[in-house]
């Protein structure tokens, strides 16, 4: 929910009063939540929130319903950053469709059904065999500090996640000006990747303002399809443009129109051009970022200040690598219902599109009329109308099915892992039957048919929540109309499109570019002057008389310490926000305990932690108020079941780190031992006849690994020993083809000094393959083994960041499988060898 407008680059369309320091104004918000299935978590990465579970009002009314919740800001928020609330529920990603009927007898102009279809696609799109990637990076002054630093890190990981084959890429920096790494995209190779990596390391936010339009037009015009001059439509290369920006520019309409024109022309030429957006910062322009993605049939994601963008950027890359679903269509009405309704519709002659009347420039020829008098005493002067007159547009009646987004010109963006919502308003006859029982989605992707059938269920929203807030109390109709209006807003500002926006805005009482609400202050002049004078009076000077201040408000009662709050799951502490895990928050299957920071003095032991019963049942718990008193920027990630509470610096309530009591600590875990035993290759197992096998047993020793061979100690150079093992450092070590180096420095970094001796030894499953241990094949085997160790390192040490490194690991695995194939193994033996290497490598971690 945007509440802040950061300064924008360029000329504002109107006088926006953001210079008045609105960040000091307070803002109150409450959200009534009703899901189809039980709510599992609610969090806010931006603000402290309060929470009522089991109902969608501040006070408990009726029976407890796990699908409902009421969220409010823990304290009045300042208008300094956007408000973000993340809600999760059971089966939230599953396809579902809701319908709502609005009868003419209930105030509708005509009886209609409104449908809301939402799903998170879960399928594996075939990867495009070749593609061009162009990255537009915002380096304007507003990206300074942590923003540009996070973008540098994310780009380093992304560059090494690009497909090794069939890929070309380029990097364009923009601000008040734009520059590109190369005039046109270059083939992805070890040399070009290294050059791009050094270029990214030099990024600074020193390009001035945010002039995006010229940069994105340069990117479109530099595509290989255009520069190559090929006229063969079968030889075109798809292009995906990634825009990384805070979107702080005013030229929204110009940018959207440019993207619409370029993408439309590419489609006519038989090419594929898409745009994807990563919005950065707490005051990012969601209108800009989402508009770019809609126009380019891509998708947009956002990262808050301090949040790591690499995982979401990898999600965009994964979406762009897949093909596009063509000819996507949604059947909203059952065939029988459609036939019944068609019988009741009257055929209306269609007026010519765009017809509108203008005053005639000439007068009709005079016929039998009396002569005019040059001095008529009865004549009264009337003021002449000046200025541009509003064009009178004659619109056809709305079609039977109004759908947003449309699917007639460009594909609806449908990407695995990204939520897609489609709305429709369907006319029904005067005596309509039941709504459709199912909706059906059909289409094609790279020549293959795709189909999905989704059952329809009627929406049921408490009338008290929507009456007076949405037109006619019809929630889905209002949401569908909003989506329809957005589609027309993205089109050129023609009289016809403006008339469509106006018709929908007035019909459903929505604020648009063509409609607005009028606010009427019913206070008298004296009351207004009194409130204005008191508004500028210092708050500490306002006397409180009889429990009221001068404005007639009761002072807010603030607790002296955060109250203990109780949720559901007794196995975890739910705290709120972790920049690296934005979905962490109030886990409604979680027990949340409060700490009183006032009770913790310097050097004092913390109060004992409550250990709730493990027999708590969420279904038996009555709704409770949950209030988070901490600063959202210091909230930490929920701990896993069974782990001890540990607060980082600036923890749950902004206090310093506190160590748990000694009774909660665990003894050090004994080190793991891997023993290898070679078996005879003379076996009935076909795999055993091809390669040597390894069996493993594990034990523990307090003194270290058993059977460790004696090797000279390795002393890493300062360039290695001073490195911090992270996803970024691992990504920087990856070679262009997906492999990782096999030198002692890299092995020491991922397995440590204790595991280095075993990491040097190539397992028999790999060593005994064709070629033995000499020459180029020996070097190849070392690379295969080092690559497998790195994959396991990512899995074991950075499991929570899987979204960031998943494509790195996928590329590394493809390298291993390709090299094993070149060593003479067939597909089944490649799979078995990879599995055995994984088992061997896992024993080292």
């Amino acid at each position: 929910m945007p509440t802040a407008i950061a300064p924008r680059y360029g000329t504002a369309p109107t006088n926006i009063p953001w210079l008045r320091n609105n960040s000091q104004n307070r803002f109150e918000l409450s959200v009534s939540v009703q899901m189809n299935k039980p709510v599992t978590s609610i969090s806010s990465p931006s603000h402290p929130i309060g929470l009522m579970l089991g109902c969608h009002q501040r006070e408990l009314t009726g029976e407890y319903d796990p699908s409902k919740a009421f969220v409010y800001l823990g304290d009045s928020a300042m208008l300094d950053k956007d408000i973000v609330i993340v809600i999760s529920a059971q089966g939230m990603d599953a396809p579902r469709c809701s319908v709502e009927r609005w009868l003419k007898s209930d105030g509708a102009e005509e009886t209609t059904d409104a449908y809301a279809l939402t799903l998170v696609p879960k399928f594996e799109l075939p990867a495009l065999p070749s593609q061009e990637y162009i990255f537009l990076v915002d380096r304007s002054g507003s990206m300074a500090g942590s923003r540009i630093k996070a973008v540098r890190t994310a780009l380093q990981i992304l560059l090494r996640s690009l497909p090794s084959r069939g890929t070309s890429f380029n990097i364009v920096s923009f601000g008040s000006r734009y520059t590109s790494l190369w005039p046109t995209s270059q083939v992805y190779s070890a040399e070009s990747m290294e050059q791009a990596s050094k270029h990214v390391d030099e990024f600074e936010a020193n390009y001035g303002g945010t002039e995006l339009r010229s940069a994105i037009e340069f990117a479109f015009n530099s595509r290989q399809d255009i520069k190559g001059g090929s006229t063969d439509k079968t030889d075109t290369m798809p292009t995906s443009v990634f825009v990384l920006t805070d979107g702080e520019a005013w030229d929204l309409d110009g940018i959207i129109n440019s993207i619409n024109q370029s993408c439309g022309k590419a489609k006519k030429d038989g090419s594929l051009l898409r745009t994807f957006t990563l919005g950065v910062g707490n005051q990012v322009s969601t209108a800009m970022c989402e508009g770019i993605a809609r126009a380019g049939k891509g998708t947009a994601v956002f990262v808050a200040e301090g949040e790591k963008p690499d995982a979401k950027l990898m999600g965009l890359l994964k979406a762009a690598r897949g093909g596009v679903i063509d000819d996507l269509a949604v059947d909203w009405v059952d065939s029988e219902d459609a036939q019944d309704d068609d019988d009741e519709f009257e055929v209306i002659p269609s007026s010519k599109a765009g017809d509108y009347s203008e005053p005639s420039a000439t007068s009709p020829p005079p016929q039998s009329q009396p002569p005019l008098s040059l001095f008529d005493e009865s004549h009264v002067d009337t003021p002449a109308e000046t200025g541009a007159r509003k064009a009178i547009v004659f619109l056809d009646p709305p079609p039977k099915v109004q759908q947003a987004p449309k699917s007639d010109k460009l594909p609806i963006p449908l990407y695995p892992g990204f939520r897609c919502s489609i709305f429709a308003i369907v006319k029904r006859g005067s005596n309509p039957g039941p709504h459709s029982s199912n909706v059906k989605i059909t289409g094609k992707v790279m020549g293959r048919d795709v189909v999905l059938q989704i059952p329809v269920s009627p929406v049921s929203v408490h009338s008290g929540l929507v009456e007076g807030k949405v037109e006619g109390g019809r929630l889905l109709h209002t949401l569908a109309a909003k989506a329809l209006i957005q589609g027309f807003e993205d089109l050129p500002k023609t009289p016809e499109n403006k008339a469509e926006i106006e018709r929908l805005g007035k019909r459903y009482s929505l604020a648009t570019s063509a409609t607005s609400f009028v606010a009427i202050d019913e206070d008298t002049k004296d009351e207004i002057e009194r409130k204005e004078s008191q508004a500028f009076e210092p708050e500490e000077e306002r006397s409180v008389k009889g429990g009221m201040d001068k404005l007639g408000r009761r002072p807010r009662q603030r607790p002296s310490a955060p109250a203990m709050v109780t949720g559901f799951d007794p196995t975890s502490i739910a705290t709120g926000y972790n920049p690296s895990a934005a979905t962490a928050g109030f886990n409604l299957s979680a027990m949340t305990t409060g700490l009183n920071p006032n009770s913790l003095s310097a050097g004092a032991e913390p109060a004992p932690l409550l250990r709730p019963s493990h027999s708590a049942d969420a279904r038996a718990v009555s709704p409770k108020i949950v209030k988070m008193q901490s600063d959202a920027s210091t909230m930490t990630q929920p701990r896993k079941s069974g782990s001890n509470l540990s607060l980082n610096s600036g923890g749950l309530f902004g206090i310093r780190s506190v160590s748990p009591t000694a009774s909660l600590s665990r003894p050090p875990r004994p080190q793991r031992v891997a023993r290898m035993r070679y078996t005879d290759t003379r076996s009935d197992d076909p795999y055993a006849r091809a390669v040597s096998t390894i069996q493993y047993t594990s034990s523990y020793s307090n003194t270290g690994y058993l059977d460790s061979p004696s090797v000279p100690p390795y002393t890493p150079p300062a360039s290695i020993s001073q490195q911090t093992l992270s996803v970024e450092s691992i990504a920087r070590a990856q070679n262009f083809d997906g492999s990782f180096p096999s030198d002692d420095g890299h092995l020491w970094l991922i397995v440590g000094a204790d595991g280095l001796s075993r990491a040097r030894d190539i397992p028999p499953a790999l060593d005994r393959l064709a070629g033995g241990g000499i020459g180029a094949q020996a070097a190849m085997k070392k690379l295969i083994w080092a690559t497998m160790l790195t994959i396991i390192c990512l899995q074991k040490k950075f499991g929570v960041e899987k979204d960031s490194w998943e494509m790195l690991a996928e590329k590394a695995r493809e390298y291993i499988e390709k090299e094993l194939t070149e060593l003479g193994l067939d597909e089944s033996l490649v799979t078995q060898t990879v599995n055995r290497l994984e088992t061997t490598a896992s024993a080292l971690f």
Side-chain angles (χ1 to χ4, degrees):
M1 287 157 280
T3 63
I5 302 178
R8 301 285 193 259
Y9 177 79
T11 303
T14 185
N15 183 22
I16 304 295
W18 51 264
L19 289 175
R20 297 181 183 176
N21 196 18
N22 284 337
S23 62
Q24 299 303 314
N25 292 339
R26 291 184 177 273
F27 181 82
E28 294 185 359
L29 175 73
S30 62
V31 180
S32 297
V33 179
Q34 179 172 328
M35 310 300 289
N36 283 14
K37 293 186 178 181
V39 177
T40 57
S41 69
I42 295 180
S43 66
S44 175
S46 60
H47 292 77
I49 59 174
L51 185 63
M52 169 70 82
L53 310 177
C55 63
H56 44 42
Q57 297 180 4
R58 186 68 175 262
E59 302 297 333
L60 175 61
T61 56
E63 296 182 357
Y64 170 77
D65 187 340
S67 65
K68 297 178 182 179
F70 182 82
V71 183
Y72 60 95
L73 295 185
D75 196 357
S76 295
M78 298 292 186
L79 295 178
D80 58 346
K81 57 183 176 181
D82 295 345
I83 298 173
V84 181
I85 297 177
V86 182
I87 304 169
S88 298
Q90 291 181 9
M92 196 168 183
D93 292 350
R96 61 184 183 277
C97 183
S98 301
V99 63
E100 174 186 75
R101 176 158 295 178
W102 194 0
L103 296 172
K104 189 173 183 180
S105 59
D106 292 336
E109 290 185 353
E110 53 191 349
T111 299
T112 53
D113 287 340
Y115 292 86
L117 187 157
T118 179
L119 73 156
V120 177
K122 189 178 181 180
F123 56 85
E124 192 67 32
L125 277 175
L128 294 170
S130 62
Q131 186 165 197
E132 179 180 6
Y133 300 87
I134 302 177
F135 304 100
L136 268 68
V137 184
D138 188 346
R139 293 175 60 182
S140 61
S142 58
M143 290 288 291
S146 60
R147 297 183 186 181
I148 195 68
K149 181 179 179 181
V151 167
R152 284 198 301 263
T153 299
L155 282 175
Q156 291 292 354
I157 300 175
L158 184 144
L159 286 173
R160 290 156 177 82
S161 301
L162 294 175
S164 301
R165 295 180 292 275
T167 298
S168 60
F169 74 110
N170 199 359
I171 300 176
V172 179
S173 302
F174 69 90
S176 301
R177 57 191 173 91
Y178 66 84
T179 59
S180 62
L181 178 56
W182 302 293
T184 59
S185 295
Q186 300 295 302
V187 174
Y188 185 60
S189 64
E191 293 76 16
S192 61
M193 186 194 74
E194 185 63 28
Q195 187 177 352
S197 179
K198 292 179 180 178
H199 178 64
V200 169
D201 279 336
E202 298 171 354
F203 276 6
E204 297 293 342
N206 54 1
Y207 271 45
T210 306
E211 177 55 57
L212 175 57
R213 184 177 178 181
S214 58
I216 205 165
E217 288 177 349
F218 166 79
F220 289 158
N221 294 329
S222 68
R223 291 183 295 131
Q224 291 185 344
D225 280 353
I226 296 178
K227 292 295 183 180
S230 174
T231 58
D232 184 4
K233 293 186 177 182
T234 63
D235 192 32
T236 58
M237 175 177 283
T239 302
S240 289
V241 178
F242 296 80
V243 183
L244 286 70
T245 181
D246 55 15
E248 295 179 2
W250 285 117
D251 189 22
L252 175 60
D253 291 341
I255 293 171
I256 300 304
N257 290 337
S258 178
I259 297 173
N260 276 326
Q261 293 174 6
S262 297
C263 292
K265 185 177 184 303
K267 185 173 178 63
K268 290 180 181 179
D269 294 340
S271 183
L272 176 62
L273 173 61
R274 295 174 292 175
T275 56
F276 299 84
T277 314
L278 175 71
V280 182
N282 289 336
Q283 296 180 330
V284 61
S285 173
T286 54
M288 175 72 76
C289 295
E290 291 176 349
I292 291 173
R294 282 195 308 271
K297 301 306 173 187
T299 188
V301 295
F302 300 90
V303 292
E305 207 77 47
E307 183 181 353
K308 297 173 66 175
D310 42 356
K312 293 184 177 180
L313 190 56
M314 292 306 107
L316 290 180
L317 178 60
K318 189 174 183 180
R321 288 181 60 179
V324 174
I325 298 180
D326 298 314
D327 303 323
L328 185 66
V330 183
D331 297 329
W332 298 101
V333 183
D334 294 335
S335 57
E336 296 180 359
D337 294 338
Q339 185 175 1
D340 293 341
D341 286 344
D342 286 341
D343 295 338
E344 300 192 30
F345 281 104
E346 178 184 357
V347 178
I348 300 176
S350 174
S351 59
K352 184 178 180 181
D355 284 351
Y356 60 92
S357 62
E358 291 284 1
S360 176
T362 60
S363 301
Q367 297 180 358
S368 56
Q369 298 179 357
L372 293 174
S373 173
L374 297 179
F375 184 77
D376 186 356
E377 294 182 352
S378 63
H379 175 73
V380 178
D381 288 332
T382 56
E385 295 183 7
T386 60
R389 297 186 61 185
K390 178 181 178 181
I392 302 174
V393 181
F394 298 98
L395 293 176
D396 291 336
K400 181 176 180 180
V401 177
Q402 301 178 81
Q403 176 182 306
K406 295 182 178 180
S407 61
D408 53 348
K409 295 182 179 179
L410 288 173
I412 293 175
L414 202 61
Y415 299 107
F418 289 90
R419 181 170 302 280
C420 176
S421 296
I422 307 175
F423 296 90
I425 298 178
V426 181
K427 292 182 183 179
R428 302 306 302 262
S430 57
N431 296 308
H435 60 77
S436 300
S437 58
N438 295 279
V439 296
K440 186 178 181 181
I441 303 177
T442 57
K444 288 183 177 295
V445 55
M446 300 180 70
R448 294 176 55 186
D449 292 332
V450 294
V451 63
L452 179 64
Q453 195 158 324
I454 304 171
V456 177
S457 60
V459 68
S460 176
V461 179
H462 192 276
S463 59
L465 292 178
V466 294
E467 287 182 356
K469 299 182 178 67
V470 296
E471 181 66 16
R474 298 298 185 266
L475 182 60
L476 288 194
H477 279 80
T478 303
L479 292 175
K482 183 176 182 295
L484 290 169
I485 289 171
Q486 185 62 68
F488 286 110
E489 296 277 17
D490 289 341
L491 296 176
K493 301 300 187 286
T494 63
E496 294 77 27
N497 291 333
K498 185 176 180 180
E500 292 281 8
I501 294 171
E502 183 178 335
R503 177 166 65 180
L504 287 165
K506 292 195 295 186
R507 177 67 192 89
Y508 296 96
S509 295
L510 291 168
T512 69
S513 62
T515 58
S516 60
F517 292 98
V518 177
I520 300 176
D521 192 339
E522 297 181 350
D523 289 342
T524 64
K525 181 179 179 181
D526 292 340
E527 290 173 333
I528 295 174
E529 291 178 349
R530 177 175 60 84
K531 291 183 178 181
E532 287 180 347
S533 63
Q534 292 173 342
F536 291 98
E537 185 177 343
E539 187 171 355
E540 59 271 13
E541 296 181 9
R542 297 178 186 169
S543 61
V544 179
K545 299 178 181 179
M548 300 281 190
D549 63 11
K550 290 183 178 181
L551 297 182
R553 302 174 301 191
R554 292 189 180 275
R556 305 184 73 172
Q557 298 295 325
R558 301 182 182 275
S560 59
M564 188 189 79
V565 290
T566 305
F568 294 113
D569 184 355
T571 62
S572 76
I573 298 295
T575 57
Y577 178 61
N578 184 334
S580 63
T583 57
F586 289 107
N587 189 335
L588 302 193
S589 58
M591 166 73 74
T592 309
T593 60
L595 296 176
N596 185 348
N598 298 326
S599 67
L600 297 175
S601 58
E605 288 290 333
L609 299 177
L610 297 179
R611 300 189 65 84
S613 168
H614 285 259
S615 61
D617 187 349
R619 293 170 296 182
V621 178
S622 60
K624 297 184 184 297
I625 291 289
V626 178
K627 187 170 184 179
M628 178 60 69
Q629 297 280 12
S630 64
D631 179 7
S633 64
T634 61
M635 297 180 184
T636 55
Q637 187 180 2
R639 69 187 181 101
K640 296 182 179 179
S641 175
S643 61
N644 299 323
L645 176 65
S646 176
L647 300 180
N648 295 327
S649 177
L652 188 60
F653 297 103
I655 59 177
R656 297 293 297 174
S657 298
V658 181
S659 300
T661 57
S663 61
L664 294 179
S665 62
R666 298 173 59 184
R669 182 177 178 180
Q671 296 177 335
R672 189 169 186 174
V673 180
R675 288 199 178 118
M676 300 183 183
R677 178 166 60 87
Y678 306 137
T679 61
D680 193 347
T681 58
R682 294 169 295 180
S683 169
D684 293 333
D685 182 1
Y687 176 75
R689 291 195 300 268
V691 296
S692 299
T693 62
I694 305 177
Q695 297 182 357
Y696 307 92
T697 59
S698 296
S699 60
Y700 291 93
S701 168
N702 289 325
T703 59
Y705 282 94
L706 298 179
D707 304 331
S708 298
S710 177
V711 295
Y714 170 73
T715 303
S719 59
I720 299 295
S721 61
Q722 294 177 4
Q723 280 192 39
T724 300
L725 184 63
S726 64
V727 175
E728 180 187 3
S729 64
I730 292 176
R732 287 177 175 273
Q734 189 172 32
N735 298 314
F736 155 76
D737 57 3
S739 65
F740 285 89
S742 59
D743 60 88
D744 283 353
H746 178 70
L747 297 179
W748 181 90
L749 189 65
I750 62 174
V751 302
D754 293 339
L756 179 60
S757 59
R758 265 173 308 283
R760 289 169 170 165
D761 297 333
I762 300 177
L766 180 61
D767 189 44
R768 296 190 180 183
L769 295 180
I774 58 172
Q777 289 190 340
M780 178 195 300
K781 292 175 183 178
K782 289 183 178 180
L783 286 176
I784 293 174
W785 177 231
T787 302
M788 178 58 71
L789 286 171
T790 308
I791 294 174
I792 301 302
C793 174
L794 290 169
Q795 294 175 356
K796 299 290 186 180
K797 298 186 178 182
F798 302 97
V800 296
E801 301 180 49
K802 183 178 179 181
D803 289 341
S804 299
W805 53 258
E806 186 175 16
M807 299 188 72
L808 291 174
E810 178 183 330
K811 188 174 179 180
R813 186 177 292 273
E814 289 176 355
Y815 164 80
I816 293 174
E817 293 174 350
K818 179 177 71 71
E819 296 301 321
L820 290 176
T821 301
E822 292 185 1
L823 288 174
L825 300 185
D826 59 27
E827 184 176 351
S828 62
L829 292 180
V830 166
T831 301
Q832 293 183 48
T833 302
V834 169
N835 292 338
R836 299 192 182 212
L837 291 177
E838 286 181 341
T839 304
T840 309
S842 298
L844 272 70
F845 293 91

